[in-house]
Amino acid sequence: MGHAYSAMIAHDMARREGGKFFVRIEDLDPSRSKKRWEDQILDDLDWLGLSWDRPVVRQSESIDRYKNILIKFKKELRLFECNCSRRDIKNALSAPHESEKFSGPDGLIYPGTCRGNNLLYKLNFSNVLRMDNSLRKNKSYSFCELGPKKGKISFSSEEFSKRVGDVVLWRRGYPAYHLACVIDDSEQKITHVVRGLDLFDATKIHTVLNSRLGLKKPFYFHHKLICDENGKRLAKRDDSKSLQKYRQEGFKASEIKEILGFK
Ligand SMILES: [Zn+2]
């Protein structure tokens, strides 16, 4: 239901402005990507009465595009190789028992263990590659937010380094979500990115990546997350019903829109 909500906001915003609405299949994790789920997404959107522009980009179809960007920008990104496990990272934190305090939008904030492994010559894509954020001092980043937190959102390189850390850009054969996302936004000439507030901090990662890769920044609209009557996020509830479930129970698209607060 959260995804349906997001799609409706993006679709309506694009159509209202005479723009295009794209669906991108972010299928980089093979264990969570199946053709029939993809078909279901498109079928659900169609059922909701949303139309989308072509082509539908599938990230899994051209992994080399992402590789080539990393090869080209390895210096700007200050890539280094790291194969520390989650446990290794946890143990290397100054207070491992408080690891939840050391967590950012890319998971545990990396303590810098393998920063010395600078890989300026050859990248090994069967490893994990991170970008070193420790050496960029006194730099300010910003993005333009159009959603409920409306305004220019600024943050410093120091803050980014402390609260986000050395982000993983490549994980054993596959690009990380953050990398694939900014490259595709740029290649598809996306002007407005619409998504939930749960990704607000991840947008800081995308902003830093856009800056280092010299890409144009899109506008962002982070919408509120849909909650039940007690304010609990639907996506976090065990008993939350999927759109599919509602459809099986005979709900009409207009009723779903009403549940989600659309008229
Ligand atoms: Zn490491």
Side-chain angles (χ1 to χ4, degrees):
M1 288 292 271
H3 297 307
Y5 180 72
S6 219
M8 282 193 267
I9 292 184
H11 172 274
D12 291 358
M13 194 187 280
R15 297 298 183 227
R16 200 168 51 232
E17 303 291 331
K20 291 186 173 181
F21 170 63
F22 288 110
V23 176
R24 185 159 73 215
I25 304 294
E26 301 186 332
D27 54 352
L28 290 169
D29 179 350
S31 68
R32 298 199 303 160
S33 311
K34 301 269 179 291
K35 182 70 174 68
R36 67 188 162 86
W37 295 340
E38 180 188 321
D39 293 342
Q40 187 64 58
I41 291 168
L42 298 178
D43 187 65
D44 284 341
L45 292 177
D46 186 51
W47 181 79
L48 286 166
L50 309 187
S51 60
W52 56 93
D53 290 280
R54 304 292 193 279
V56 172
V57 168
R58 275 173 206 82
Q59 293 184 326
S60 65
E61 282 176 355
S62 47
I63 301 278
D64 283 349
R65 278 190 302 132
Y66 310 113
K67 267 189 196 172
N68 292 336
I69 299 264
L70 289 188
I71 292 168
K72 194 172 161 195
F73 289 92
K74 59 190 170 188
K75 227 169 160 171
E76 288 81 353
L77 294 169
R78 300 188 58 83
L79 291 179
F80 67 95
E81 191 173 285
C82 169
N83 286 309
C84 296
S85 65
R86 209 186 127 78
R87 177 177 292 263
D88 295 334
I89 293 173
K90 223 172 154 174
N91 288 340
L93 292 172
S94 52
H97 56 285
E98 292 183 286
S99 60
E100 65 281 359
K101 276 194 196 162
F102 294 89
S103 214
D106 194 46
L108 286 175
I109 294 165
Y110 186 70
T113 324
C114 304
R115 260 180 216 145
N117 300 344
N118 264 317
L119 284 174
L120 294 178
Y121 297 98
K122 194 172 182 296
L123 300 181
N124 182 345
F125 289 102
S126 54
N127 286 326
V128 171
L129 303 173
R130 292 178 178 270
M131 82 169 153
D132 181 349
N133 284 312
S134 63
L135 291 172
R136 298 275 283 219
K137 301 275 185 253
N138 304 315
K139 195 167 160 50
S140 170
Y141 298 97
S142 69
F143 64 89
C144 185
E145 171 64 34
L146 302 173
K149 290 195 176 188
K150 200 170 168 72
K152 182 179 169 189
I153 308 295
S154 304
F155 57 98
S156 67
S157 46
E158 282 80 4
E159 195 187 329
F160 185 79
S161 172
K162 207 170 127 198
R163 305 237 172 94
V164 185
D166 295 345
V167 180
V168 171
L169 296 186
W170 190 271
R171 197 185 299 275
R172 299 187 180 92
Y174 296 96
Y177 161 73
H178 305 298
L179 178 74
C181 205
V182 297
I183 292 174
D184 289 337
D185 286 347
S186 165
E187 288 188 2
Q188 288 187 280
K189 298 189 169 62
I190 301 299
T191 56
H192 293 69
V193 173
V194 178
R195 57 190 177 203
L197 272 169
D198 51 336
L199 283 163
F200 188 80
D201 283 331
T203 297
K204 294 177 181 168
I205 299 175
H206 301 181
T207 302
V208 169
L209 277 172
N210 277 324
S211 159
R212 291 210 189 172
L213 296 172
L215 303 174
K216 205 174 164 203
K217 287 180 286 187
F219 291 97
Y220 292 92
F221 186 107
H222 294 89
H223 60 72
K224 67 180 169 70
L225 301 170
I226 49 167
C227 298
D228 65 13
E229 58 282 2
N230 300 315
K232 188 158 164 98
R233 262 186 78 188
L234 277 190
K236 299 277 178 202
R237 268 179 53 167
D238 297 333
D239 62 342
S240 73
K241 273 196 283 185
S242 65
L243 179 60
Q244 190 54 16
K245 197 92 201 329
Y246 280 104
R247 284 183 68 176
Q248 282 161 2
E249 287 176 10
F251 277 77
K252 287 191 227 125
S254 59
E255 291 168 316
I256 297 297
K257 286 185 178 176
E258 215 179 298
I259 293 173
L260 294 175
F262 290 82
K263 277 174 203 141

